[in-house]
Amino acid sequence: MQQEAVQRNGGRLLLIPFPLQGHINPMLHLAQILHSKGFSITIIHTTFNAPNPSNYPHFTFCSIQQPLSQTQDFLDFLLDLNVKCTTPFHDCVTKILSQEPVACLISDAICYFTQDVADTLRLPRIVLRTGALSSFLAFAAFPLLRQKGYIPIQDCKLEEEVTELPPLRVKDLPMIKTEEPEKYYELLHRVVNTTKNSLGVIWNSFEELESSALKTLSQEFSIPMFLIGPFHDYFSASSSSCSSLILQDQSCISWLDKHTPNSVVYVSFGSVAEITETDFLEMAWGLANTNHPFLWVVRPGLIKGSKGLEHIPSGLMDNLEGRGLIVKWAPQQEILAHSAVGAFWTHNGWNSTLESICEGVPMLCMPCLSDQKVNARYVSHVWRVGLQLEKGVERGEIERAIRKLMDDNVEGKEIRDRALKLKEEAKLCLEKGGSSCSSLEALVTYISSFTFQAS
Ligand code: UDP
């Protein structure tokens, strides 16, 4: 996105991301999009996983100090953040308001603590939901799902259909592994309620992709919904990576340059997911047996209880004769846009799913937790631009699935064709008159109405 010479007359916006990579990326993209529309931007962030201000010289950054650590249990981390950030956030916003008027606050939906602070300070609050509408519908349905007995999930019912949320099965419900499910239900209740009580929701999605979920949500939530995504497509692949918390290994690109179109499997499970050592080994053998080249992101912490690559069987990489490249963190959007990449084996985090859709890359889905399960089901059964590993992580099934996606066969070709068609729809929605372009104009007008009140 070009930083045109726009007059900063839209007022100041305060944006607070939730401090994990999959949330920081879309929030900073949103900040750049709104900056290009004339708004001044202040990013309020935790000292933990802080973005790099030098990549955004045109924004103001305010950090709030609090002792947080991602090494604790994931659910405890989410809850802890919502408690510990309240006072420093309140003090930070109060200080900003004493210096200049603010049009509104845009808060990640998971930072539900911002609702009380905004109410106390009489600051308009809009929410950014960084996931899909379809998975949010499932989160919002938790009270009903519990009442109907789908949750807590029973192993004998995993394949049962959830008739209230087609085409989800019980095993696709966005659960996490926890000893304290009540804490998880409470967290979701707060996120859903403070989203409902906000003045509007911004989505990193587009209408053509999620029209049915939009219809249902609009009936349940009587607040404006702005589907203005895919955010990363407002920028070039290389310039949209400024928000990466980890240094991206650029050597992958020259490695990909040496490969023929659609020949490489790209494998990445995002910034949070963990897999067991057994699954990791099955993945390694499954990949090796396909005979396709592969580029695999193995970040420290991906394998439970391990920091590095000590689990890769000795000899496996040597026998591949350069057919596999493993890196710790990659320029994912550039990789997905590269002609050599023929399939993406993903955990279906929403950003990864959307990035793959936008490049027309078919997916092999292996969701690990929460909304990833809903996303995977939509990829394989609604948009039908991928296949899901259904029978656990087993080298034979992996090999068959990758061959189906990449080799010459009818089912694979149909999936690849649909993926290319969906890519075109994603492009069109950002063009003038397209759904996301129009929704962004509506959002700018909406926020500007707050500016008017504030000044
Ligand atoms: N990502 C990246 N390099 C990698 C792996 C992932 O830059 O090696 C980026 C990816 O492009 C996406 C984000 O990290 O924007 C991950 O977000 P997602 O929602 O897919 O998953 P999460 O990390 O939240 O589970």
Side-chain angles (χ1 to χ4, degrees):
M1 172 179 272
Q2 297 262 315
Q3 284 301 330
E4 326 106 67
V6 179
Q7 236 192 322
R8 306 276 116 230
N9 54 7
R12 180 159 296 278
L13 308 179
L14 309 184
L15 277 65
I16 175 160
F18 179 73
L20 289 182
Q21 187 73 76
H23 292 252
I24 290 173
N25 287 358
M27 186 60 95
L28 285 167
H29 285 155
L30 176 64
Q32 284 172 282
I33 294 166
L34 292 172
H35 183 265
S36 77
K37 294 289 175 189
F39 294 99
S40 302
I41 302 291
T42 296
I43 305 285
I44 302 177
H45 62 88
T46 57
T47 45
F48 169 78
N49 275 351
N52 183 354
S54 64
N55 287 337
Y56 303 91
H58 44 296
F59 295 171
T60 304
F61 284 82
C62 296
S63 79
I64 50 177
Q65 307 277 337
Q66 71 308 111
L68 286 171
S69 144
Q70 207 184 325
T71 52
Q72 63 191 137
D73 170 83
F74 186 59
L75 183 54
D76 284 337
F77 170 73
L78 298 177
L79 294 164
D80 207 30
L81 178 133
N82 273 286
V83 174
K84 287 186 174 151
C85 287
T86 310
T87 304
F89 176 70
H90 175 276
D91 296 349
C92 174
V93 177
T94 306
K95 191 167 164 212
I96 295 169
L97 288 174
S98 72
Q99 293 161 351
E100 67 176 311
V102 167
C104 82
L105 167 71
I106 301 180
S107 166
D108 188 302
I110 295 193
C111 301
Y112 55 78
F113 69 91
T114 59
Q115 176 77 61
D116 278 350
V117 175
D119 287 350
T120 311
L121 300 174
R122 300 167 66 86
L123 184 62
R125 174 181 178 268
I126 293 180
V127 157
L128 166 66
R129 176 60 199 153
T130 58
L133 284 83
S134 331
S135 58
F136 196 78
L137 262 184
F139 288 132
F142 260 55
L144 177 74
L145 297 172
R146 292 180 70 191
Q147 194 193 328
K148 297 237 167 173
Y150 293 111
I151 294 176
I153 289 178
Q154 297 163 45
D155 282 348
C156 59
K157 294 191 175 166
L158 288 176
E159 300 295 332
E160 242 178 51
E161 280 178 24
V162 179
T163 46
E164 294 78 2
L165 292 172
L168 300 189
R169 300 156 300 180
V170 169
K171 68 177 182 186
D172 304 316
L173 292 175
M175 289 299 297
I176 59 170
K177 280 205 179 83
T178 174
E179 310 262 285
E180 298 170 292
E182 291 295 334
K183 273 192 186 174
Y184 184 55
Y185 306 149
E186 178 60 21
L187 171 91
L188 295 183
H189 170 74
R190 283 177 185 243
V191 170
V192 170
N193 262 15
T194 51
T195 300
K196 247 181 196 164
N197 291 331
S198 73
L199 293 175
V201 193
I202 302 170
W203 300 90
N204 185 14
S205 188
F206 55 102
E207 229 177 289
E208 290 74 5
L209 191 66
E210 299 203 89
S211 56
S212 152
L214 174 62
K215 202 168 156 214
T216 314
L217 264 182
S218 302
Q219 281 158 2
E220 286 182 24
F221 285 49
S222 49
I223 49 173
M225 305 268 171
F226 302 96
L227 281 69
I228 64 166
F231 293 178
H232 70 278
D233 255 9
Y234 287 77
F235 315 93
S236 69
S238 55
S239 72
S240 79
S241 61
C242 301
S243 52
S244 188
L245 295 168
I246 310 175
L247 189 66
Q248 297 175 325
D249 186 337
Q250 291 292 336
S251 68
C252 330
I253 303 299
S254 47
W255 184 85
L256 284 175
D257 288 342
K258 296 189 190 102
H259 291 86
T260 52
N262 302 320
S263 63
V264 175
V265 187
Y266 169 57
V267 190
S268 172
F269 283 8
S271 62
V272 179
E274 287 181 326
I275 54 174
T276 62
E277 186 186 333
T278 315
D279 285 353
F280 179 75
L281 288 176
E282 287 302 307
M283 288 177 72
W285 283 115
L287 279 168
N289 294 344
T290 60
N291 288 327
H292 280 287
F294 62 87
L295 168 58
W296 191 359
V297 177
V298 183
R299 68 171 155 73
L302 171 68
I303 308 162
K304 266 182 209 148
S306 143
K307 287 199 164 58
L309 295 176
E310 61 272 22
H311 298 290
I312 295 215
S314 58
L316 183 122
M317 293 306 278
D318 299 342
N319 289 340
L320 292 173
E321 294 166 341
R323 201 156 50 74
L325 176 67
I326 293 185
V327 295
K328 285 189 179 150
W329 195 247
Q332 178 160 305
Q333 286 158 37
E334 280 177 77
I335 288 170
L336 289 170
H338 198 289
S339 60
V341 173
F344 181 15
W345 186 356
T346 170
H347 70 312
N348 289 112
W350 182 241
N351 296 290
S352 295
T353 303
L354 206 52
E355 289 160 13
S356 203
I357 286 175
C358 290
E359 296 303 337
V361 178
M363 285 170 258
L364 178 58
C365 306
M366 192 174 116
C368 298
L369 63 130
S370 193
D371 65 327
Q372 297 159 14
K373 298 175 186 223
V374 181
N375 301 337
R377 186 67 175 163
Y378 271 70
V379 166
S380 55
H381 279 78
V382 178
W383 307 313
R384 299 193 297 144
V385 292
L387 295 171
Q388 183 167 353
L389 285 176
E390 295 282 0
K391 298 181 197 128
V393 189
E394 190 274 321
R395 64 188 77 180
E397 202 203 345
I398 292 167
E399 190 187 334
R400 277 190 295 281
I402 292 178
R403 285 188 188 286
K404 207 178 261 181
L405 279 183
M406 298 188 66
D407 294 353
D408 197 12
N409 65 84
V410 176
E411 192 183 348
K413 184 172 182 318
E414 284 174 359
I415 291 174
R416 293 191 292 270
D417 287 349
R418 278 192 293 268
L420 289 176
K421 203 161 160 262
L422 198 52
K423 170 185 174 171
E424 287 315 308
E425 288 192 44
K427 293 264 171 293
L428 284 178
C429 73
L430 291 187
E431 284 178 12
K432 200 164 169 42
S435 62
S436 292
C437 179
S438 307
S439 194
L440 176 59
E441 293 311 319
L443 174 66
V444 169
T445 307
Y446 188 58
I447 297 178
S448 301
S449 70
F450 302 138
T451 316
F452 180 68
Q453 284 167 19
S455 52

